[in-house]
PDB file of all heavy atoms in Angstrom:
ATOM      1  N   GLY Q  29     103.348 102.508 120.437  1.00 86.00           N
ATOM      2  CA  GLY Q  29     102.191 101.688 120.088  1.00 86.00           C
ATOM      3  C   GLY Q  29     102.403 100.740 118.936  1.00 86.00           C
ATOM      4  O   GLY Q  29     101.443 100.196 118.384  1.00 86.00           O
ATOM      5  N   GLY Q  30     103.661 100.524 118.546  1.00 90.00           N
ATOM      6  CA  GLY Q  30     103.935  99.596 117.445  1.00 90.00           C
ATOM      7  C   GLY Q  30     105.217  99.957 116.731  1.00 90.00           C
ATOM      8  O   GLY Q  30     106.046 100.715 117.253  1.00 90.00           O
ATOM      9  N   SER Q  31     105.386  99.425 115.518  1.00 90.00           N
ATOM     10  CA  SER Q  31     106.583  99.676 114.710  1.00 90.00           C
ATOM     11  C   SER Q  31     106.206 100.576 113.530  1.00 90.00           C
ATOM     12  O   SER Q  31     105.548 100.117 112.582  1.00 90.00           O
ATOM     13  CB  SER Q  31     107.159  98.365 114.182  1.00 90.00           C
ATOM     14  OG  SER Q  31     107.557  97.531 115.247  1.00 90.00           O
ATOM     15  N   PRO Q  32     106.578 101.842 113.555  1.00 94.00           N
ATOM     16  CA  PRO Q  32     106.189 102.752 112.480  1.00 94.00           C
ATOM     17  C   PRO Q  32     106.908 102.468 111.164  1.00 94.00           C
ATOM     18  O   PRO Q  32     108.032 101.969 111.147  1.00 94.00           O
ATOM     19  CB  PRO Q  32     106.588 104.131 113.028  1.00 94.00           C
ATOM     20  CG  PRO Q  32     107.679 103.847 113.995  1.00 94.00           C
ATOM     21  CD  PRO Q  32     107.358 102.522 114.606  1.00 94.00           C
ATOM     22  N   GLU Q  33     106.231 102.776 110.072  1.00 95.00           N
ATOM     23  CA  GLU Q  33     106.835 102.691 108.744  1.00 95.00           C
ATOM     24  C   GLU Q  33     107.641 103.970 108.500  1.00 95.00           C
ATOM     25  O   GLU Q  33     107.217 105.064 108.875  1.00 95.00           O
ATOM     26  CB  GLU Q  33     105.758 102.543 107.680  1.00 95.00           C
ATOM     27  CG  GLU Q  33     104.940 101.262 107.819  1.00 95.00           C
ATOM     28  CD  GLU Q  33     103.776 101.201 106.858  1.00 95.00           C
ATOM     29  OE1 GLU Q  33     103.282 102.288 106.452  1.00 95.00           O
ATOM     30  OE2 GLU Q  33     103.349 100.081 106.533  1.00 95.00           O
ATOM     31  N   ILE Q  34     108.788 103.814 107.848  1.00 96.00           N
ATOM     32  CA  ILE Q  34     109.696 104.943 107.640  1.00 96.00           C
ATOM     33  C   ILE Q  34     109.771 105.291 106.148  1.00 96.00           C
ATOM     34  O   ILE Q  34     110.004 104.417 105.309  1.00 96.00           O
ATOM     35  CB  ILE Q  34     111.106 104.608 108.172  1.00 96.00           C
ATOM     36  CG1 ILE Q  34     111.038 104.219 109.653  1.00 96.00           C
ATOM     37  CG2 ILE Q  34     112.041 105.786 107.958  1.00 96.00           C
ATOM     38  CD1 ILE Q  34     110.486 105.300 110.566  1.00 96.00           C
ATOM     39  N   TYR Q  35     109.586 106.577 105.858  1.00 96.00           N
ATOM     40  CA  TYR Q  35     109.589 107.055 104.474  1.00 96.00           C
ATOM     41  C   TYR Q  35     110.586 108.208 104.302  1.00 96.00           C
ATOM     42  O   TYR Q  35     110.646 109.101 105.162  1.00 96.00           O
ATOM     43  CB  TYR Q  35     108.210 107.590 104.089  1.00 96.00           C
ATOM     44  CG  TYR Q  35     107.095 106.580 104.068  1.00 96.00           C
ATOM     45  CD1 TYR Q  35     106.435 106.236 105.253  1.00 96.00           C
ATOM     46  CD2 TYR Q  35     106.671 106.004 102.880  1.00 96.00           C
ATOM     47  CE1 TYR Q  35     105.389 105.321 105.240  1.00 96.00           C
ATOM     48  CE2 TYR Q  35     105.623 105.092 102.862  1.00 96.00           C
ATOM     49  CZ  TYR Q  35     104.987 104.754 104.041  1.00 96.00           C
ATOM     50  OH  TYR Q  35     103.953 103.853 104.027  1.00 96.00           O
ATOM     51  N   PRO Q  36     111.325 108.221 103.201  1.00 96.00           N
ATOM     52  CA  PRO Q  36     112.085 109.431 102.859  1.00 96.00           C
ATOM     53  C   PRO Q  36     111.133 110.459 102.259  1.00 96.00           C
ATOM     54  O   PRO Q  36     110.296 110.118 101.417  1.00 96.00           O
ATOM     55  CB  PRO Q  36     113.098 108.913 101.813  1.00 96.00           C
ATOM     56  CG  PRO Q  36     112.458 107.709 101.208  1.00 96.00           C
ATOM     57  CD  PRO Q  36     111.556 107.118 102.255  1.00 96.00           C
ATOM     58  N   TRP Q  37     111.245 111.703 102.681  1.00 96.00           N
ATOM     59  CA  TRP Q  37     110.280 112.713 102.238  1.00 96.00           C
ATOM     60  C   TRP Q  37     110.925 114.082 102.294  1.00 96.00           C
ATOM     61  O   TRP Q  37     112.133 114.203 102.526  1.00 96.00           O
ATOM     62  CB  TRP Q  37     109.038 112.652 103.133  1.00 96.00           C
ATOM     63  CG  TRP Q  37     107.767 113.033 102.432  1.00 96.00           C
ATOM     64  CD1 TRP Q  37     107.033 114.169 102.603  1.00 96.00           C
ATOM     65  CD2 TRP Q  37     107.088 112.254 101.446  1.00 96.00           C
ATOM     66  NE1 TRP Q  37     105.934 114.136 101.780  1.00 96.00           N
ATOM     67  CE2 TRP Q  37     105.940 112.983 101.064  1.00 96.00           C
ATOM     68  CE3 TRP Q  37     107.343 111.007 100.851  1.00 96.00           C
ATOM     69  CZ2 TRP Q  37     105.049 112.517 100.090  1.00 96.00           C
ATOM     70  CZ3 TRP Q  37     106.449 110.539  99.899  1.00 96.00           C
ATOM     71  CH2 TRP Q  37     105.327 111.300  99.525  1.00 96.00           C
ATOM     72  N   THR Q  38     110.123 115.110 102.100  1.00 96.00           N
ATOM     73  CA  THR Q  38     110.584 116.477 102.358  1.00 96.00           C
ATOM     74  C   THR Q  38     109.562 117.178 103.248  1.00 96.00           C
ATOM     75  O   THR Q  38     108.357 116.938 103.144  1.00 96.00           O
ATOM     76  CB  THR Q  38     110.769 117.307 101.063  1.00 96.00           C
ATOM     77  OG1 THR Q  38     109.537 117.380 100.364  1.00 96.00           O
ATOM     78  CG2 THR Q  38     111.839 116.710 100.171  1.00 96.00           C
ATOM     79  N   ALA Q  39     110.065 118.031 104.114  1.00 97.00           N
ATOM     80  CA  ALA Q  39     109.216 118.848 104.983  1.00 97.00           C
ATOM     81  C   ALA Q  39     109.820 120.238 105.037  1.00 97.00           C
ATOM     82  O   ALA Q  39     111.030 120.382 105.198  1.00 97.00           O
ATOM     83  CB  ALA Q  39     109.136 118.251 106.386  1.00 97.00           C
ATOM     84  N   ASN Q  40     108.995 121.251 104.860  1.00 97.00           N
ATOM     85  CA  ASN Q  40     109.478 122.639 104.840  1.00 97.00           C
ATOM     86  C   ASN Q  40     110.605 122.826 103.830  1.00 97.00           C
ATOM     87  O   ASN Q  40     111.527 123.605 104.045  1.00 97.00           O
ATOM     88  CB  ASN Q  40     109.918 123.077 106.234  1.00 97.00           C
ATOM     89  CG  ASN Q  40     108.752 123.135 107.198  1.00 97.00           C
ATOM     90  OD1 ASN Q  40     108.251 122.104 107.654  1.00 97.00           O
ATOM     91  ND2 ASN Q  40     108.308 124.330 107.516  1.00 97.00           N
ATOM     92  N   GLY Q  41     110.545 122.073 102.745  1.00 93.00           N
ATOM     93  CA  GLY Q  41     111.526 122.207 101.684  1.00 93.00           C
ATOM     94  C   GLY Q  41     112.851 121.534 101.963  1.00 93.00           C
ATOM     95  O   GLY Q  41     113.783 121.643 101.151  1.00 93.00           O
ATOM     96  N   GLU Q  42     112.967 120.823 103.072  1.00 94.00           N
ATOM     97  CA  GLU Q  42     114.218 120.158 103.432  1.00 94.00           C
ATOM     98  C   GLU Q  42     114.051 118.642 103.396  1.00 94.00           C
ATOM     99  O   GLU Q  42     112.941 118.126 103.536  1.00 94.00           O
ATOM    100  CB  GLU Q  42     114.642 120.573 104.845  1.00 94.00           C
ATOM    101  CG  GLU Q  42     114.981 122.042 104.992  1.00 94.00           C
ATOM    102  CD  GLU Q  42     115.345 122.398 106.426  1.00 94.00           C
ATOM    103  OE1 GLU Q  42     114.638 121.971 107.356  1.00 94.00           O
ATOM    104  OE2 GLU Q  42     116.335 123.110 106.608  1.00 94.00           O
ATOM    105  N   PRO Q  43     115.168 117.898 103.223  1.00 96.00           N
ATOM    106  CA  PRO Q  43     115.086 116.442 103.332  1.00 96.00           C
ATOM    107  C   PRO Q  43     114.523 116.063 104.696  1.00 96.00           C
ATOM    108  O   PRO Q  43     114.845 116.683 105.711  1.00 96.00           O
ATOM    109  CB  PRO Q  43     116.547 115.998 103.198  1.00 96.00           C
ATOM    110  CG  PRO Q  43     117.240 117.108 102.489  1.00 96.00           C
ATOM    111  CD  PRO Q  43     116.545 118.365 102.941  1.00 96.00           C
ATOM    112  N   ALA Q  44     113.671 115.041 104.717  1.00 97.00           N
ATOM    113  CA  ALA Q  44     113.035 114.660 105.975  1.00 97.00           C
ATOM    114  C   ALA Q  44     112.752 113.165 106.000  1.00 97.00           C
ATOM    115  O   ALA Q  44     112.636 112.507 104.969  1.00 97.00           O
ATOM    116  CB  ALA Q  44     111.733 115.430 106.176  1.00 97.00           C
ATOM    117  N   VAL Q  45     112.638 112.653 107.211  1.00 97.00           N
ATOM    118  CA  VAL Q  45     112.214 111.278 107.449  1.00 97.00           C
ATOM    119  C   VAL Q  45     110.841 111.344 108.104  1.00 97.00           C
ATOM    120  O   VAL Q  45     110.663 112.054 109.095  1.00 97.00           O
ATOM    121  CB  VAL Q  45     113.212 110.541 108.376  1.00 97.00           C
ATOM    122  CG1 VAL Q  45     112.706 109.128 108.669  1.00 97.00           C
ATOM    123  CG2 VAL Q  45     114.600 110.502 107.763  1.00 97.00           C
ATOM    124  N   VAL Q  46     109.880 110.626 107.542  1.00 97.00           N
ATOM    125  CA  VAL Q  46     108.530 110.612 108.094  1.00 97.00           C
ATOM    126  C   VAL Q  46     108.235 109.221 108.642  1.00 97.00           C
ATOM    127  O   VAL Q  46     108.406 108.219 107.945  1.00 97.00           O
ATOM    128  CB  VAL Q  46     107.479 110.993 107.033  1.00 97.00           C
ATOM    129  CG1 VAL Q  46     106.070 110.896 107.611  1.00 97.00           C
ATOM    130  CG2 VAL Q  46     107.730 112.407 106.527  1.00 97.00           C
ATOM    131  N   ALA Q  47     107.816 109.163 109.902  1.00 96.00           N
ATOM    132  CA  ALA Q  47     107.448 107.897 110.548  1.00 96.00           C
ATOM    133  C   ALA Q  47     105.931 107.839 110.659  1.00 96.00           C
ATOM    134  O   ALA Q  47     105.305 108.773 111.177  1.00 96.00           O
ATOM    135  CB  ALA Q  47     108.092 107.802 111.925  1.00 96.00           C
ATOM    136  N   VAL Q  48     105.336 106.740 110.168  1.00 97.00           N
ATOM    137  CA  VAL Q  48     103.880 106.618 110.108  1.00 97.00           C
ATOM    138  C   VAL Q  48     103.453 105.309 110.758  1.00 97.00           C
ATOM    139  O   VAL Q  48     104.006 104.242 110.460  1.00 97.00           O
ATOM    140  CB  VAL Q  48     103.389 106.659 108.645  1.00 97.00           C
ATOM    141  CG1 VAL Q  48     101.870 106.566 108.589  1.00 97.00           C
ATOM    142  CG2 VAL Q  48     103.870 107.921 107.948  1.00 97.00           C
ATOM    143  N   LEU Q  49     102.470 105.397 111.631  1.00 96.00           N
ATOM    144  CA  LEU Q  49     101.936 104.216 112.307  1.00 96.00           C
ATOM    145  C   LEU Q  49     100.421 104.192 112.126  1.00 96.00           C
ATOM    146  O   LEU Q  49      99.729 105.106 112.572  1.00 96.00           O
ATOM    147  CB  LEU Q  49     102.287 104.248 113.799  1.00 96.00           C
ATOM    148  CG  LEU Q  49     101.826 103.054 114.633  1.00 96.00           C
ATOM    149  CD1 LEU Q  49     102.513 101.772 114.176  1.00 96.00           C
ATOM    150  CD2 LEU Q  49     102.103 103.297 116.113  1.00 96.00           C
ATOM    151  N   ASP Q  50      99.947 103.157 111.437  1.00 95.00           N
ATOM    152  CA  ASP Q  50      98.503 103.013 111.191  1.00 95.00           C
ATOM    153  C   ASP Q  50      97.901 104.267 110.555  1.00 95.00           C
ATOM    154  O   ASP Q  50      96.822 104.732 110.933  1.00 95.00           O
ATOM    155  CB  ASP Q  50      97.767 102.686 112.497  1.00 95.00           C
ATOM    156  CG  ASP Q  50      98.232 101.372 113.113  1.00 95.00           C
ATOM    157  OD1 ASP Q  50      98.626 100.466 112.357  1.00 95.00           O
ATOM    158  OD2 ASP Q  50      98.214 101.261 114.358  1.00 95.00           O
ATOM    159  N   GLY Q  51      98.617 104.834 109.602  1.00 96.00           N
ATOM    160  CA  GLY Q  51      98.138 106.010 108.886  1.00 96.00           C
ATOM    161  C   GLY Q  51      98.336 107.328 109.595  1.00 96.00           C
ATOM    162  O   GLY Q  51      98.018 108.381 109.046  1.00 96.00           O
ATOM    163  N   ARG Q  52      98.882 107.292 110.799  1.00 97.00           N
ATOM    164  CA  ARG Q  52      99.094 108.511 111.588  1.00 97.00           C
ATOM    165  C   ARG Q  52     100.579 108.853 111.604  1.00 97.00           C
ATOM    166  O   ARG Q  52     101.417 108.012 111.900  1.00 97.00           O
ATOM    167  CB  ARG Q  52      98.587 108.286 113.012  1.00 97.00           C
ATOM    168  CG  ARG Q  52      98.790 109.449 113.970  1.00 97.00           C
ATOM    169  CD  ARG Q  52      98.061 109.184 115.282  1.00 97.00           C
ATOM    170  NE  ARG Q  52      98.452 107.917 115.878  1.00 97.00           N
ATOM    171  CZ  ARG Q  52      99.452 107.770 116.745  1.00 97.00           C
ATOM    172  NH1 ARG Q  52     100.180 108.821 117.110  1.00 97.00           N
ATOM    173  NH2 ARG Q  52      99.722 106.580 117.254  1.00 97.00           N
ATOM    174  N   VAL Q  53     100.904 110.099 111.252  1.00 98.00           N
ATOM    175  CA  VAL Q  53     102.300 110.542 111.312  1.00 98.00           C
ATOM    176  C   VAL Q  53     102.689 110.683 112.779  1.00 98.00           C
ATOM    177  O   VAL Q  53     102.077 111.450 113.522  1.00 98.00           O
ATOM    178  CB  VAL Q  53     102.499 111.879 110.570  1.00 98.00           C
ATOM    179  CG1 VAL Q  53     103.927 112.400 110.772  1.00 98.00           C
ATOM    180  CG2 VAL Q  53     102.209 111.714 109.081  1.00 98.00           C
ATOM    181  N   VAL Q  54     103.702 109.929 113.193  1.00 97.00           N
ATOM    182  CA  VAL Q  54     104.122 109.955 114.595  1.00 97.00           C
ATOM    183  C   VAL Q  54     105.484 110.630 114.770  1.00 97.00           C
ATOM    184  O   VAL Q  54     105.941 110.810 115.905  1.00 97.00           O
ATOM    185  CB  VAL Q  54     104.155 108.537 115.190  1.00 97.00           C
ATOM    186  CG1 VAL Q  54     102.758 107.947 115.255  1.00 97.00           C
ATOM    187  CG2 VAL Q  54     105.090 107.613 114.394  1.00 97.00           C
ATOM    188  N   GLY Q  55     106.110 111.001 113.665  1.00 96.00           N
ATOM    189  CA  GLY Q  55     107.386 111.689 113.768  1.00 96.00           C
ATOM    190  C   GLY Q  55     107.812 112.253 112.424  1.00 96.00           C
ATOM    191  O   GLY Q  55     107.591 111.625 111.379  1.00 96.00           O
ATOM    192  N   VAL Q  56     108.367 113.447 112.442  1.00 98.00           N
ATOM    193  CA  VAL Q  56     108.965 114.046 111.247  1.00 98.00           C
ATOM    194  C   VAL Q  56     110.345 114.554 111.648  1.00 98.00           C
ATOM    195  O   VAL Q  56     110.466 115.423 112.515  1.00 98.00           O
ATOM    196  CB  VAL Q  56     108.126 115.213 110.693  1.00 98.00           C
ATOM    197  CG1 VAL Q  56     108.829 115.831 109.479  1.00 98.00           C
ATOM    198  CG2 VAL Q  56     106.720 114.743 110.311  1.00 98.00           C
ATOM    199  N   MET Q  57     111.371 113.962 111.031  1.00 97.00           N
ATOM    200  CA  MET Q  57     112.739 114.395 111.315  1.00 97.00           C
ATOM    201  C   MET Q  57     113.263 115.184 110.120  1.00 97.00           C
ATOM    202  O   MET Q  57     113.383 114.651 109.015  1.00 97.00           O
ATOM    203  CB  MET Q  57     113.652 113.195 111.582  1.00 97.00           C
ATOM    204  CG  MET Q  57     115.103 113.585 111.840  1.00 97.00           C
ATOM    205  SD  MET Q  57     116.200 112.151 112.011  1.00 97.00           S
ATOM    206  CE  MET Q  57     115.731 111.578 113.650  1.00 97.00           C
ATOM    207  N   CYS Q  58     113.553 116.467 110.331  1.00 97.00           N
ATOM    208  CA  CYS Q  58     114.072 117.327 109.276  1.00 97.00           C
ATOM    209  C   CYS Q  58     115.594 117.361 109.332  1.00 97.00           C
ATOM    210  O   CYS Q  58     116.184 117.523 110.404  1.00 97.00           O
ATOM    211  CB  CYS Q  58     113.512 118.736 109.420  1.00 97.00           C
ATOM    212  SG  CYS Q  58     111.730 118.833 109.184  1.00 97.00           S
ATOM    213  N   LEU Q  59     116.226 117.207 108.171  1.00 97.00           N
ATOM    214  CA  LEU Q  59     117.682 117.201 108.071  1.00 97.00           C
ATOM    215  C   LEU Q  59     118.158 118.534 107.510  1.00 97.00           C
ATOM    216  O   LEU Q  59     117.666 118.984 106.460  1.00 97.00           O
ATOM    217  CB  LEU Q  59     118.160 116.073 107.153  1.00 97.00           C
ATOM    218  CG  LEU Q  59     118.175 114.638 107.681  1.00 97.00           C
ATOM    219  CD1 LEU Q  59     116.780 114.163 108.078  1.00 97.00           C
ATOM    220  CD2 LEU Q  59     118.770 113.694 106.634  1.00 97.00           C
ATOM    221  N   GLU Q  60     119.079 119.167 108.190  1.00 95.00           N
ATOM    222  CA  GLU Q  60     119.681 120.399 107.680  1.00 95.00           C
ATOM    223  C   GLU Q  60     120.964 120.037 106.944  1.00 95.00           C
ATOM    224  O   GLU Q  60     121.914 119.542 107.541  1.00 95.00           O
ATOM    225  CB  GLU Q  60     119.986 121.369 108.817  1.00 95.00           C
ATOM    226  CG  GLU Q  60     120.575 122.686 108.330  1.00 95.00           C
ATOM    227  CD  GLU Q  60     120.925 123.637 109.453  1.00 95.00           C
ATOM    228  OE1 GLU Q  60     120.466 123.417 110.589  1.00 95.00           O
ATOM    229  OE2 GLU Q  60     121.674 124.608 109.201  1.00 95.00           O
ATOM    230  N   VAL Q  61     120.986 120.291 105.642  1.00 95.00           N
ATOM    231  CA  VAL Q  61     122.100 119.877 104.793  1.00 95.00           C
ATOM    232  C   VAL Q  61     122.968 121.081 104.445  1.00 95.00           C
ATOM    233  O   VAL Q  61     122.469 122.129 104.027  1.00 95.00           O
ATOM    234  CB  VAL Q  61     121.583 119.209 103.508  1.00 95.00           C
ATOM    235  CG1 VAL Q  61     122.739 118.802 102.605  1.00 95.00           C
ATOM    236  CG2 VAL Q  61     120.730 117.991 103.845  1.00 95.00           C
ATOM    237  N   THR Q  62     124.277 120.925 104.617  1.00 91.00           N
ATOM    238  CA  THR Q  62     125.246 121.949 104.221  1.00 91.00           C
ATOM    239  C   THR Q  62     126.247 121.314 103.260  1.00 91.00           C
ATOM    240  O   THR Q  62     126.230 120.101 103.026  1.00 91.00           O
ATOM    241  CB  THR Q  62     126.002 122.513 105.432  1.00 91.00           C
ATOM    242  OG1 THR Q  62     126.894 121.501 105.933  1.00 91.00           O
ATOM    243  CG2 THR Q  62     125.044 122.926 106.539  1.00 91.00           C
ATOM    244  N   ALA Q  63     127.135 122.138 102.712  1.00 89.00           N
ATOM    245  CA  ALA Q  63     128.150 121.621 101.797  1.00 89.00           C
ATOM    246  C   ALA Q  63     129.077 120.638 102.494  1.00 89.00           C
ATOM    247  O   ALA Q  63     129.677 119.766 101.856  1.00 89.00           O
ATOM    248  CB  ALA Q  63     128.955 122.785 101.208  1.00 89.00           C
ATOM    249  N   GLU Q  64     129.211 120.756 103.822  1.00 92.00           N
ATOM    250  CA  GLU Q  64     130.119 119.879 104.582  1.00 92.00           C
ATOM    251  C   GLU Q  64     129.454 118.581 105.018  1.00 92.00           C
ATOM    252  O   GLU Q  64     130.123 117.659 105.473  1.00 92.00           O
ATOM    253  CB  GLU Q  64     130.646 120.606 105.822  1.00 92.00           C
ATOM    254  CG  GLU Q  64     131.609 121.754 105.531  1.00 92.00           C
ATOM    255  CD  GLU Q  64     130.885 122.976 104.996  1.00 92.00           C
ATOM    256  OE1 GLU Q  64     129.742 123.231 105.448  1.00 92.00           O
ATOM    257  OE2 GLU Q  64     131.431 123.655 104.112  1.00 92.00           O
ATOM    258  N   GLY Q  65     128.137 118.502 104.906  1.00 94.00           N
ATOM    259  CA  GLY Q  65     127.430 117.305 105.348  1.00 94.00           C
ATOM    260  C   GLY Q  65     126.135 117.671 106.060  1.00 94.00           C
ATOM    261  O   GLY Q  65     125.693 118.821 106.036  1.00 94.00           O
ATOM    262  N   ILE Q  66     125.524 116.695 106.723  1.00 96.00           N
ATOM    263  CA  ILE Q  66     124.289 116.945 107.466  1.00 96.00           C
ATOM    264  C   ILE Q  66     124.656 117.580 108.800  1.00 96.00           C
ATOM    265  O   ILE Q  66     125.392 117.004 109.595  1.00 96.00           O
ATOM    266  CB  ILE Q  66     123.504 115.643 107.692  1.00 96.00           C
ATOM    267  CG1 ILE Q  66     123.186 114.966 106.351  1.00 96.00           C
ATOM    268  CG2 ILE Q  66     122.202 115.933 108.442  1.00 96.00           C
ATOM    269  CD1 ILE Q  66     122.559 113.596 106.490  1.00 96.00           C
ATOM    270  N   ALA Q  67     124.129 118.784 109.027  1.00 95.00           N
ATOM    271  CA  ALA Q  67     124.539 119.563 110.202  1.00 95.00           C
ATOM    272  C   ALA Q  67     123.578 119.444 111.374  1.00 95.00           C
ATOM    273  O   ALA Q  67     123.956 119.714 112.513  1.00 95.00           O
ATOM    274  CB  ALA Q  67     124.700 121.030 109.827  1.00 95.00           C
ATOM    275  N   ALA Q  68     122.326 119.062 111.097  1.00 96.00           N
ATOM    276  CA  ALA Q  68     121.358 119.006 112.188  1.00 96.00           C
ATOM    277  C   ALA Q  68     120.213 118.063 111.854  1.00 96.00           C
ATOM    278  O   ALA Q  68     119.816 117.927 110.694  1.00 96.00           O
ATOM    279  CB  ALA Q  68     120.803 120.402 112.487  1.00 96.00           C
ATOM    280  N   PHE Q  69     119.717 117.417 112.900  1.00 97.00           N
ATOM    281  CA  PHE Q  69     118.515 116.591 112.822  1.00 97.00           C
ATOM    282  C   PHE Q  69     117.535 117.158 113.845  1.00 97.00           C
ATOM    283  O   PHE Q  69     117.831 117.197 115.036  1.00 97.00           O
ATOM    284  CB  PHE Q  69     118.828 115.130 113.160  1.00 97.00           C
ATOM    285  CG  PHE Q  69     119.816 114.480 112.237  1.00 97.00           C
ATOM    286  CD1 PHE Q  69     121.180 114.642 112.435  1.00 97.00           C
ATOM    287  CD2 PHE Q  69     119.386 113.705 111.166  1.00 97.00           C
ATOM    288  CE1 PHE Q  69     122.096 114.050 111.586  1.00 97.00           C
ATOM    289  CE2 PHE Q  69     120.295 113.100 110.313  1.00 97.00           C
ATOM    290  CZ  PHE Q  69     121.648 113.273 110.517  1.00 97.00           C
ATOM    291  N   ARG Q  70     116.373 117.589 113.362  1.00 96.00           N
ATOM    292  CA  ARG Q  70     115.363 118.142 114.257  1.00 96.00           C
ATOM    293  C   ARG Q  70     114.124 117.268 114.149  1.00 96.00           C
ATOM    294  O   ARG Q  70     113.483 117.206 113.100  1.00 96.00           O
ATOM    295  CB  ARG Q  70     115.073 119.604 113.901  1.00 96.00           C
ATOM    296  CG  ARG Q  70     116.301 120.507 114.077  1.00 96.00           C
ATOM    297  CD  ARG Q  70     116.004 121.963 113.729  1.00 96.00           C
ATOM    298  NE  ARG Q  70     117.172 122.803 113.994  1.00 96.00           N
ATOM    299  CZ  ARG Q  70     118.099 123.106 113.091  1.00 96.00           C
ATOM    300  NH1 ARG Q  70     117.995 122.629 111.852  1.00 96.00           N
ATOM    301  NH2 ARG Q  70     119.139 123.859 113.405  1.00 96.00           N
ATOM    302  N   ASN Q  71     113.798 116.603 115.250  1.00 96.00           N
ATOM    303  CA  ASN Q  71     112.785 115.558 115.229  1.00 96.00           C
ATOM    304  C   ASN Q  71     111.531 116.005 115.973  1.00 96.00           C
ATOM    305  O   ASN Q  71     111.570 116.228 117.184  1.00 96.00           O
ATOM    306  CB  ASN Q  71     113.359 114.287 115.874  1.00 96.00           C
ATOM    307  CG  ASN Q  71     112.495 113.077 115.617  1.00 96.00           C
ATOM    308  OD1 ASN Q  71     111.734 113.029 114.663  1.00 96.00           O
ATOM    309  ND2 ASN Q  71     112.619 112.083 116.471  1.00 96.00           N
ATOM    310  N   GLN Q  72     110.427 116.160 115.235  1.00 97.00           N
ATOM    311  CA  GLN Q  72     109.163 116.559 115.852  1.00 97.00           C
ATOM    312  C   GLN Q  72     108.322 115.305 116.119  1.00 97.00           C
ATOM    313  O   GLN Q  72     107.902 114.612 115.191  1.00 97.00           O
ATOM    314  CB  GLN Q  72     108.396 117.502 114.916  1.00 97.00           C
ATOM    315  CG  GLN Q  72     107.094 118.039 115.496  1.00 97.00           C
ATOM    316  CD  GLN Q  72     107.277 118.737 116.824  1.00 97.00           C
ATOM    317  OE1 GLN Q  72     107.033 118.138 117.884  1.00 97.00           O
ATOM    318  NE2 GLN Q  72     107.738 119.995 116.789  1.00 97.00           N
ATOM    319  N   VAL Q  73     108.090 115.013 117.400  1.00 96.00           N
ATOM    320  CA  VAL Q  73     107.285 113.839 117.770  1.00 96.00           C
ATOM    321  C   VAL Q  73     106.117 114.200 118.684  1.00 96.00           C
ATOM    322  O   VAL Q  73     105.382 113.321 119.117  1.00 96.00           O
ATOM    323  CB  VAL Q  73     108.162 112.742 118.438  1.00 96.00           C
ATOM    324  CG1 VAL Q  73     109.121 112.146 117.434  1.00 96.00           C
ATOM    325  CG2 VAL Q  73     108.928 113.294 119.648  1.00 96.00           C
TER     326      VAL Q  73
END
C-alpha cells in the first residue's frame, strides 16, 4: 500500500528493523547477532 519508513530499533531485546506505513507497523525484522556476525533475520509481516 505504499513505501514504508524504515527505522533501526530493538524488539524482544534484539536489534531490529521496524517498517512503518502511515503510522502502522507493517513489518518487524529481528536480527540474531553472534560473535561471528548476524546469524538470522526473522521478519514478522
Side-chain angles (χ1 to χ4, degrees):
S31 298
E33 297 173 333
I34 303 300
Y35 295 83
W37 211 251
T38 59
N40 294 75
E42 295 178 315
V45 177
V46 177
V48 181
L49 182 64
D50 299 329
R52 178 171 55 91
V53 174
V54 294
V56 178
M57 178 185 286
C58 295
L59 283 61
E60 182 182 345
V61 179
T62 70
E64 291 75 36
I66 303 173
F69 299 84
R70 297 180 176 93
N71 193 23
Q72 183 55 261
V73 292

